[in-house]
Amino acid sequence: MRELLWTPTEELLEKSNMKQFMDFVNSNYEQKWKDYKALYEWSVNEPLHFWDAVWKFFRIIHSRNYYAAAENIGEFMKVKWFPGAKLNYAENMLRYSDSDAPAIIFRGEDQIRSEISHRELYKEVIRLALAMKRDGVKEGDVVAAYMPNLPQTVIAMLAAASIGAIWCSCATDIGAGAAIDRIGQTNPVILFTADGYYYKGKSFAVLEKVKRIAEEVTSIRRVVVCHYAGNGENGYPVFGRTAWEDYLAKDEEPAFSFPQFDYEHPLVIMFSSGTTGKPKCMVQSAMGLLVNQLKELALHSDLKKDDRLLYISTCSWMMWNWQAAALGLGSAIVLFDGNPSYPDTSFIWKIVEEEKVTVFGLSASYLHALMKEGFSPKEAVSLKALKEISQTGSALSEEGFTYVYEQIKRDLFFNSIAGGTDINGCFAMANPLNSIYSGELQGPGLGMKINCYNEAGNPVLDEQGELVCEMPVPSMPLRFFNDPLNERYQEAYFGVFKNIWRHGDYVIFHKDTGGITFCGRSDSVLKPSGVRIGTAEIYNQVNKLTEITDSLAIGQDVKGDQRILLFVQLKEGYELNAALIKKIKDILRINASPRHVPAVIRMVPDIPKTLNGKKVESAVTNIINGRKVTNRDALANPEILE
């Protein structure tokens, strides 16, 4: 049963960035909006005025203005955003360069802590930008990273953006093969990397993998290596290798003029998870990401200049890009690299306490793991500074919502968000003007004209359907890399509903609250006897059982129908006996429906997951149904597929 968990105080409501934006809209666009629902309806009914308001509210730094917020707003493949405008993404991110307040605070497990101010960040970015420019890196060249979550990773991304180069990145905890499958498609000219990284207190060498990447991705003509967890020795010889300190321009007070670019100019190439083949390479606009990221961080996450944002992430995940954009609001970002639960579960929470983190981002799977362990953050540390939890990655159970308020903090703004790599942002998320109910994201983001469609393509309420977006938004990909006719782009999003973006999530739009429940990926929807079931519905029940650490449900095609198979990972000391099988079936039959009860339940030592920690139903579905698994390197634990 969904329950009311939180309502904003009058003080929070009045001081929120969302309220300031609503007042700005009312004053400048002759409106009289008093609540989020009215503001949202205006944002999707008058999109040209809305995106114009976003641009002006955030005082976007630009050299040339647009003559319309968009052209061809009704056509996904033809829309042009902010035609005529020119800007530089990095210039907007570095706008607080006169501040000595922290810009980046770094924590590498319990090994290293460092801090860099906004003023210092500006100088480091420009020195690196000048170095790349003098090294022959041109506008439109691709700059790649195979890096831990270091300050240098953010610096390199902003330096690339400063000169108009295109950024792509993979974390060093993925294999060389997976990195090659990703960055190898983009033909980068420079590779940034580190000599090693820490995980669970141990250092892991990287340069052997870097050597293979540099040899197989033949476009790379220089490898820039920063010291982190290596032993300082040369290690494996890498062609074109240069130390970070030696590569930086020596200018003490570097002068730099930011080149200006239009909407069509890319900022990043983002990679899909690659569980069904080589990862898709999504080319995303600097201008489009800038306006949408600032909207989401400031308005929906209520991030302010004095806030500190920590997201458990790596540079393989879009949440890394999203977090880095907080620099454009003058906020500090707290980068964490390593295992958040080493040497014990409380470790990352101690960092939250020590660094006075105000907004802490984590995944649903991490919250569910804390619940399983019975860990209570509020009992372990002081969370006085913490004002918000941001959660994403996969669907969170109703019990997960309740856990946040019972075991983390009662007076907390819980911002459950959902979108994806495809838009480098969110379709649905919270806002500080509305109440929060268990199991629900508060609703659509501003400017996101999303809906829930049934199989016939009709909008529905209070029943499961496909998440769709009915109107373009600026952060949608410009194109896919190496897809000149946009064939893969069309197939990925518009192959089901004509001129409607099908996102691939299974959702319920609630009529009474306006909230949205996410039920799992629709490409892994189960259909026993033709009845559609989201896998999250099964996980939310099965994972309540103390004996079970994790689970994975897939559909097996049998004689024209489908049956559900459930794989369970058990806690140490438990076995999958008849009693536990009955317990699993009973909880699903009683709390879900008889349709949710699996035909087969099997024990496995681990659950296959992507490098970003998401369950991989597709690979297991392929195995069970006799199809080939095409990209095992996309998994964090591919050996489990055996």
Side-chain angles (χ1 to χ4, degrees), residues 17 106 122 128 159 167 255 257 259 270 309 329-330 429 476 516 531 549:
N17 292 331
F106 173 68
Y122 178 87
L128 185 56
W167 174 261
S257 177
M270 300 299 296
L309 170 63
L329 298 172
M429 57 197 314
M476 287 174 174
I516 302 170
V531 178
T549 298

Side-chain angles (χ1 to χ4, degrees), residues 41-72:
E41 292 294 336
W42 176 77
S43 77
V44 294
N45 291 329
E46 299 288 344
L48 301 186
H49 286 154
F50 167 70
W51 290 108
D52 177 67
V54 170
W55 183 288
K56 290 174 179 174
F57 181 77
F58 288 110
R59 297 185 176 91
I60 300 294
I61 299 171
H62 59 282
S63 62
R64 206 166 78 189
N65 206 356
Y66 47 85
Y67 52 81
E71 290 179 337
N72 302 318

Side-chain angles (χ1 to χ4, degrees), residues 268-281:
V268 295
I269 297 171
M270 300 299 296
F271 304 113
S272 66
S273 59
T275 53
T276 57
K278 275 197 175 185
K280 296 190 291 288
C281 301

Side-chain angles (χ1 to χ4, degrees), residues 296 300-301 322 415-418 426-431 441-445:
E296 292 181 352
H300 288 278
S301 302
W322 194 84
N415 187 3
S416 184
I417 64 180
C426 309
F427 279 126
M429 57 197 314
N431 74 81
L441 281 69
Q442 279 183 331

Side-chain angles (χ1 to χ4, degrees), residues 386-429:
L386 187 66
K387 69 176 190 180
E388 178 180 342
I389 292 284
S390 178
Q391 170 271 316
T392 190
S394 56
L396 183 67
S397 64
E398 289 186 34
E399 292 79 8
F401 278 73
T402 304
Y403 169 85
V404 168
Y405 284 96
E406 290 183 348
Q407 301 302 330
I408 299 180
K409 200 173 184 181
R410 177 60 62 184
D411 59 334
L412 193 73
F413 175 44
F414 182 53
N415 187 3
S416 184
I417 64 180
T421 303
D422 316 72
I423 61 168
N424 215 310
C426 309
F427 279 126
M429 57 197 314

Side-chain angles (χ1 to χ4, degrees), residues 84 109 171 186 192 326 355 379 406 416 428 461 497 527 531 549 554-555 579 593 600:
E109 290 196 345
T186 69
F192 286 94
E355 302 299 347
E379 299 296 332
E406 290 183 348
S416 184
L461 293 171
F497 305 111
K527 298 183 75 173
V531 178
T549 298
I554 63 109
S593 81
V600 177

Side-chain angles (χ1 to χ4, degrees), residues 88-339:
N88 187 290
Y89 180 89
E91 185 178 14
N92 280 273
M93 289 295 113
L94 298 168
R95 67 194 306 168
Y96 294 93
S97 59
D98 60 347
S99 171
D100 290 315
I104 301 175
I105 298 166
F106 173 68
R107 297 292 296 262
E109 290 196 345
D110 58 352
Q111 307 282 335
I112 295 174
R113 182 193 186 276
S114 64
E115 188 174 305
I116 182 171
S117 70
H118 286 277
R119 190 187 304 275
E120 293 166 331
L121 175 64
Y122 178 87
K123 181 184 283 190
E124 288 294 287
V125 168
I126 299 308
R127 288 177 68 197
L128 185 56
L130 288 171
M132 285 196 284
K133 197 172 181 181
R134 292 165 185 171
D135 197 21
V137 181
K138 305 184 298 297
E139 171 189 329
D141 282 346
V142 175
V143 172
Y146 184 57
M147 289 279 279
N149 190 17
L150 303 178
Q152 289 93 332
T153 317
V154 176
I155 290 167
M157 182 271 287
L158 292 174
S162 296
I163 62 174
I166 307 168
W167 174 261
C168 64
S169 58
C170 300
T172 46
D173 58 1
I174 75 172
I180 291 165
D181 281 346
R182 287 159 173 75
I183 65 177
Q185 297 183 66
T186 69
N187 303 315
V189 296
I190 289 184
L191 178 68
F192 286 94
T193 190
D195 55 3
Y197 64 94
Y198 293 106
Y199 195 79
K200 290 189 175 181
K202 297 179 181 178
S203 63
F204 292 84
V206 170
L207 291 182
E208 182 180 10
K209 293 189 285 187
V210 172
K211 181 174 183 288
R212 180 185 164 193
I213 294 168
E215 288 173 347
E216 295 194 27
V217 183
T218 56
S219 60
I220 296 173
R221 53 181 173 78
R222 186 178 302 280
V223 178
V224 180
V225 183
C226 67
H227 172 59
Y228 175 39
N231 57 16
E233 298 176 1
N234 285 333
Y236 295 89
V238 177
F239 172 77
R241 176 180 166 186
T242 308
W244 175 277
E245 295 78 8
D246 296 335
Y247 189 69
L248 284 176
K250 307 307 177 191
D251 312 50
E252 284 301 317
E253 295 297 331
F256 188 81
S257 177
F258 289 95
Q260 304 290 296
F261 306 104
D262 60 21
Y263 171 78
E264 298 296 323
H265 187 78
L267 174 70
V268 295
I269 297 171
M270 300 299 296
F271 304 113
S272 66
S273 59
T275 53
T276 57
K278 275 197 175 185
K280 296 190 291 288
C281 301
M282 295 166 277
V283 183
Q284 296 175 338
S285 159
M287 193 180 294
L289 293 194
L290 175 66
V291 294
N292 195 61
Q293 286 171 339
L294 294 182
K295 179 205 76 174
E296 292 181 352
L297 285 159
L299 304 186
H300 288 278
S301 302
D302 204 32
L303 204 67
K304 298 181 172 69
K305 195 174 179 180
D306 57 353
D307 278 318
R308 294 184 173 192
L309 170 63
L310 190 167
Y311 233 101
I312 301 175
S313 181
T314 74
C315 65
S316 292
W317 193 20
M318 54 85 39
M319 293 312 299
W320 181 88
N321 305 74
W322 194 84
Q323 177 186 15
L327 294 168
L329 298 172
S331 309
I333 58 175
V334 182
L335 302 180
F336 175 79
D337 191 71
N339 186 314

